[in-house]
Coordinates of all heavy atoms in Angstrom, one line a residue:
N39 N 15.2 13.4 -48.0 CA 16.2 14.0 -47.2 C 15.8 14.0 -45.7 O 15.5 12.9 -45.2 CB 16.7 15.4 -47.8 CG 15.8 16.5 -48.0 OD1 14.9 16.4 -48.8 ND2 15.9 17.6 -47.2
D40 N 15.8 15.1 -45.0 CA 15.7 15.1 -43.6 C 14.6 14.2 -42.9 O 13.5 14.2 -43.4 CB 15.4 16.5 -43.0 CG 16.3 17.6 -43.7 OD1 17.2 17.3 -44.5 OD2 15.9 18.8 -43.5
Q56 N 11.4 14.3 -45.5 CA 11.4 15.2 -46.7 C 11.4 14.3 -47.9 O 12.4 13.5 -48.0 CB 12.6 16.1 -46.7 CG 12.6 17.2 -45.6 CD 11.6 18.3 -45.9 OE1 11.9 19.2 -46.7 NE2 10.4 18.2 -45.3
W64 N 16.1 16.3 -55.5 CA 15.3 17.2 -54.6 C 14.3 17.9 -55.5 O 14.6 18.4 -56.6 CB 16.2 18.2 -53.9 CG 15.5 18.9 -52.8 CD1 15.3 18.5 -51.5 CD2 14.9 20.3 -52.9 NE1 14.7 19.5 -50.8 CE2 14.4 20.6 -51.6 CE3 14.8 21.2 -53.9 CZ2 13.8 21.8 -51.4 CZ3 14.1 22.4 -53.7 CH2 13.6 22.7 -52.4
V67 N 9.1 19.6 -51.8 CA 9.1 18.5 -50.9 C 7.8 18.3 -50.2 O 7.1 19.2 -49.8 CB 10.2 18.6 -49.8 CG1 11.5 17.9 -50.2 CG2 10.6 20.1 -49.5
F99 N 8.6 22.1 -45.9 CA 10.0 21.9 -45.4 C 10.0 21.2 -44.0 O 8.9 20.9 -43.5 CB 10.7 23.2 -45.3 CG 11.4 23.6 -46.6 CD1 11.0 23.1 -47.8 CD2 12.5 24.5 -46.6 CE1 11.7 23.5 -49.0 CE2 13.2 24.9 -47.7 CZ 12.8 24.4 -49.0
S100 N 11.2 21.0 -43.5 CA 11.3 20.2 -42.3 C 10.6 20.7 -41.1 O 10.3 21.9 -40.9 CB 12.8 20.0 -42.0 OG 13.3 19.1 -42.9
R167 N 13.5 28.4 -40.5 CA 12.8 27.1 -40.8 C 13.1 26.1 -39.7 O 13.9 26.2 -38.8 CB 13.3 26.6 -42.1 CG 14.8 26.5 -42.3 CD 15.1 26.0 -43.7 NE 16.6 26.0 -44.0 CZ 17.3 27.1 -44.4 NH1 16.7 28.2 -44.6 NH2 18.6 26.9 -44.6
D168 N 12.5 24.9 -39.9 CA 12.7 23.7 -39.3 C 12.4 23.7 -37.8 O 13.2 23.4 -36.9 CB 14.2 23.2 -39.4 CG 14.6 23.3 -40.9 OD1 13.8 23.1 -41.8 OD2 15.9 23.5 -41.1
E223 N 20.8 24.9 -39.6 CA 19.5 24.4 -40.0 C 19.1 23.3 -38.9 O 19.9 22.8 -38.2 CB 19.5 23.7 -41.3 CG 20.1 24.5 -42.4 CD 20.0 23.7 -43.8 OE1 20.8 22.7 -44.0 OE2 19.2 24.2 -44.6
C224 N 17.8 22.9 -39.0 CA 17.3 21.7 -38.3 C 17.8 21.6 -36.9 O 18.5 20.7 -36.5 CB 17.7 20.4 -39.0 SG 17.0 20.4 -40.7
Y285 N 23.3 14.1 -41.6 CA 22.9 15.5 -41.6 C 21.5 15.6 -41.1 O 20.7 14.6 -41.2 CB 23.0 16.1 -43.0 CG 23.0 17.6 -43.0 CD1 24.1 18.4 -42.6 CD2 21.9 18.3 -43.5 CE1 24.1 19.7 -42.6 CE2 21.8 19.7 -43.5 CZ 22.9 20.4 -43.1 OH 22.9 21.8 -43.1
W302 N 19.6 12.0 -41.7 CA 19.7 11.8 -43.1 C 21.1 11.3 -43.5 O 22.0 12.1 -43.2 CB 19.3 13.1 -43.8 CG 19.4 13.1 -45.3 CD1 19.2 12.0 -46.2 CD2 19.8 14.1 -46.2 NE1 19.4 12.4 -47.5 CE2 19.7 13.7 -47.5 CE3 20.1 15.5 -46.0 CZ2 20.1 14.5 -48.6 CZ3 20.5 16.3 -47.0 CH2 20.4 15.8 -48.3
Ligands
FRU1 C1 18.1 20.5 -44.5 C2 17.1 21.4 -45.2 C3 16.1 22.0 -44.2 C4 14.9 22.3 -45.0 C5 14.9 21.0 -45.9 C6 14.3 21.2 -47.2 O1 18.6 19.5 -45.3 O2 17.7 22.3 -46.0 O3 16.7 23.2 -43.6 O4 13.8 22.4 -44.2 O5 16.2 20.6 -46.0 O6 14.1 20.0 -47.9

Side-chain angles (χ1 to χ4, degrees):
N39 60 292
D40 315 350
Q56 290 286 280
W64 191 86
V67 265
F99 272 24
S100 285
R167 58 182 175 273
D168 310 333
E223 311 180 289
C224 299
Y285 198 72
W302 174 35

